[in-house]
Amino acid sequence: MGIIIGIILGIVQGLCEFLPVSSSGHLVLLQNVFGIEENALFFTIMLHIGTLVAVFVVYRKVIGEMLLSVIKFLRLLFTGKWQALREHIKTPVQLKLFYLIIATLVTVVMALVFNDLIDESYEGKYLGFGFIITSLVLFSLNFVKRKGRTMKWWNACGIGFMQGIAILPGISRSGSTIAGATWFGLRKEEAAEFSFMLSIPAILGSLILEVPDIIREGFGSVNWLQIGVGVVFAAVSGYFAIKWMIKLIVNKSLNIFAVYTAILGVLVLLDQFVFNIFMENPFM
């Protein structure tokens, strides 16, 4: 049964990390459904590593270009070639990296400021509300006129802010960042790539921030086979989710996900406040 749960959670994490439906929200929900308490945090972190692998595979070319750009930047910096350095900073690859850093810093500041609220939210307290917020964000895209602008630093700040809000379970990270990029009039392809590339520092950052809690919580009786299977399925499903989402963003609307998260949010709220089958009333 543990292996089956590992497969289910791995697939859910891989799909929901990149589909605009909130992976953390679904994991919190399923952990309540399956009654997973021991090593839940460690398991969640390991599943995120699986989705991180998927991003690296899909965007390996872009990531490689960024690494080469960083190496060239450092070489020009240490050799004192200032004119060449100024020109290099303005290249598309370097600008993209710069915008990713800006967006990530904004998210980090929000995570540090609202750390207590984030910890509280992972108990599922605001889960239903989070799904409904995701639905509203996605539905708002129907009223945005796409302008095809190129990204500026203030756009990166806004997208980082949207990602910071999406730290709360139930609010989709990919949905929020793609919506933010669309609100700012960015091209659909650029919005998708930036959102998925932004998941790299986001996932790595969450790993670093959660290390003290993992150490404090301990590993207990870790089922390494279950975790390993979950990571593999998270990576594979995440790869296909990215490929699918790129096509959806460019050619289709995201209304189906808006409807899905709205229904899920209502069901979670009903269970929290009325039925209490899987979740207790968070405000009692």
Side-chain angles (χ1 to χ4, degrees):
M1 188 64 186
I3 303 300
I4 294 174
I5 291 176
I7 292 173
I8 293 172
L9 293 182
I11 292 174
V12 168
Q13 166 61 26
L15 293 177
C16 297
E17 179 65 38
F18 304 110
L19 301 183
V21 294
S22 177
S23 63
S24 59
H26 280 74
L27 288 180
V28 170
L29 179 60
L30 288 177
Q31 284 168 358
N32 277 274
V33 171
F34 291 134
I36 299 174
E37 296 181 1
E38 188 176 14
N39 302 313
L41 176 61
F42 180 65
F43 194 14
T44 299
I45 294 298
M46 292 302 293
L47 291 179
H48 277 81
I49 292 177
T51 51
L52 190 62
V53 171
V55 181
F56 273 101
V57 172
V58 174
Y59 290 106
R60 58 190 180 278
K61 182 178 179 180
V62 178
I63 294 171
E65 291 174 348
M66 286 186 175
L67 289 175
L68 292 174
S69 180
V70 170
I71 292 172
K72 184 176 181 179
F73 173 87
L74 294 175
R75 179 168 56 81
L76 293 173
L77 178 65
F78 290 129
T79 55
K81 298 180 179 179
W82 309 117
Q83 181 59 37
L85 182 63
R86 283 192 291 269
E87 293 176 359
H88 178 65
I89 291 174
K90 298 176 183 178
T91 59
V93 174
Q94 195 65 33
L95 285 173
K96 187 182 298 183
L97 182 60
F98 176 63
Y99 295 147
L100 287 170
I101 293 172
I102 290 177
T104 299
L105 288 175
V106 172
T107 302
V108 169
V109 170
M110 292 184 65
L112 293 175
V113 171
F114 298 104
N115 184 59
D116 292 339
L117 175 63
I118 293 169
D119 288 342
E120 185 180 10
S121 69
Y122 270 82
E123 298 173 2
K125 190 171 185 178
Y126 311 108
L127 189 57
F129 298 110
F131 283 127
I132 290 176
I133 290 173
T134 294
S135 176
L136 294 174
V137 168
L138 296 177
F139 187 68
S140 73
L141 295 178
N142 292 291
F143 305 98
V144 178
K145 184 177 180 180
R146 302 180 187 274
K147 300 178 181 179
R149 296 171 180 166
T150 56
M151 184 174 292
K152 304 296 182 182
W153 69 266
W154 53 86
N155 300 144
C157 289
I159 296 171
F161 176 80
M162 293 298 294
Q163 180 171 252
I165 295 174
I167 294 176
L168 300 177
I171 304 179
S172 168
R173 191 206 63 80
S174 63
S176 297
T177 52
I178 289 170
T182 304
W183 293 342
F184 296 132
L186 302 184
R187 295 190 303 271
K188 292 182 285 186
E189 296 86 347
E190 187 177 11
E193 181 183 283
F194 193 80
S195 171
F196 297 142
M197 290 293 294
L198 194 56
S199 70
I200 296 176
I203 294 173
L204 289 175
S206 68
L207 294 177
I208 294 171
L209 290 175
E210 297 297 347
V211 165
D213 289 333
I214 292 173
I215 295 174
R216 184 167 54 250
E217 191 177 281
F219 295 99
S221 55
V222 174
N223 186 334
W224 290 105
L225 180 58
Q226 180 190 50
I227 290 176
V229 169
V231 170
V232 170
F233 274 85
V236 174
S237 59
Y239 173 85
F240 288 106
I242 294 174
K243 291 290 190 178
W244 186 32
M245 269 301 293
I246 292 173
K247 293 180 180 179
L248 280 178
I249 293 168
V250 174
N251 302 312
K252 306 289 183 180
S253 77
L254 300 180
N255 285 340
I256 186 172
F257 300 109
V259 172
Y260 170 74
T261 49
I263 293 173
L264 186 57
V266 170
L267 291 176
V268 170
L269 289 174
L270 285 174
D271 187 61
Q272 286 179 315
F273 294 102
V274 181
F275 303 115
N276 304 130
I277 299 174
F278 301 112
M279 307 184 74
E280 298 178 355
N281 188 325
F283 300 102
M284 292 294 287

